[in-house]
Amino acid sequence: MLDEKRERGKACESAAMEVNVDQLKQAVERQHGGTATLVDTLPVKEIFEGRTVWQGVVHIFDLQGHPKAFRAYAWSSPVEGSSERRFYAVLHLGGIRSPVDAVRAAIVAEHRAKP
């Protein structure tokens, strides 16, 4: 259990170097409205057909003032071939019940959007 907490802490520290939590909070509020308050972070590793398709830390925000959602999940990833980052903010609605669900939904949406 202690080792698991250490690993989680290391993953969270490395994510903190990638993007400022305030940037993620702003992304949630800008994309969905309401006021976001950070409540937790969780390392997520999504594997498909034996390959890691995404690995990083998802920030969990309580969301006040949104008409339907009470929570949002946010993270960022580098834009391929650029020094820019893309910000994701997914609401806890419908089939999205966890950070893992949010990451999966974003991956599926991006895959479907590709020509």
Side-chain angles (χ1 to χ4, degrees):
M1 176 102 160
L2 186 56
D3 288 338
E4 183 179 312
K5 285 187 177 187
R6 277 192 199 125
E7 288 303 313
R8 180 177 175 183
K10 287 178 187 175
C12 292
E13 285 172 15
S14 103
M17 290 186 287
E18 295 172 359
V19 66
N20 185 306
V21 173
D22 288 336
Q23 292 173 291
L24 292 170
K25 175 184 175 355
Q26 291 170 5
V28 170
E29 293 174 349
R30 188 173 46 252
Q31 289 180 38
H32 300 296
T35 302
T37 304
L38 181 69
V39 293
D40 203 1
T41 56
L42 184 71
V44 173
K45 183 175 184 178
E46 183 59 22
I47 298 171
F48 181 73
E49 295 182 349
R51 294 181 56 205
T52 300
V53 293
W54 189 83
Q55 182 172 357
V57 176
V58 177
H59 293 70
I60 304 165
F61 292 89
D62 278 347
L63 192 56
Q64 292 183 338
H66 190 276
K68 295 181 181 178
F70 69 92
R71 179 156 288 163
Y73 307 102
W75 66 95
S76 73
S77 291
V79 174
E80 193 172 325
S82 166
S83 62
E84 300 291 315
R85 297 193 71 79
R86 177 169 178 195
F87 288 81
Y88 297 83
V90 178
L91 295 175
H92 181 103
L93 287 174
I96 309 301
R97 297 284 177 215
S98 71
V100 172
D101 292 340
V103 168
R104 285 180 184 155
I107 290 169
V108 169
E110 280 189 340
H111 181 72
R112 288 182 179 162
K114 287 184 181 179

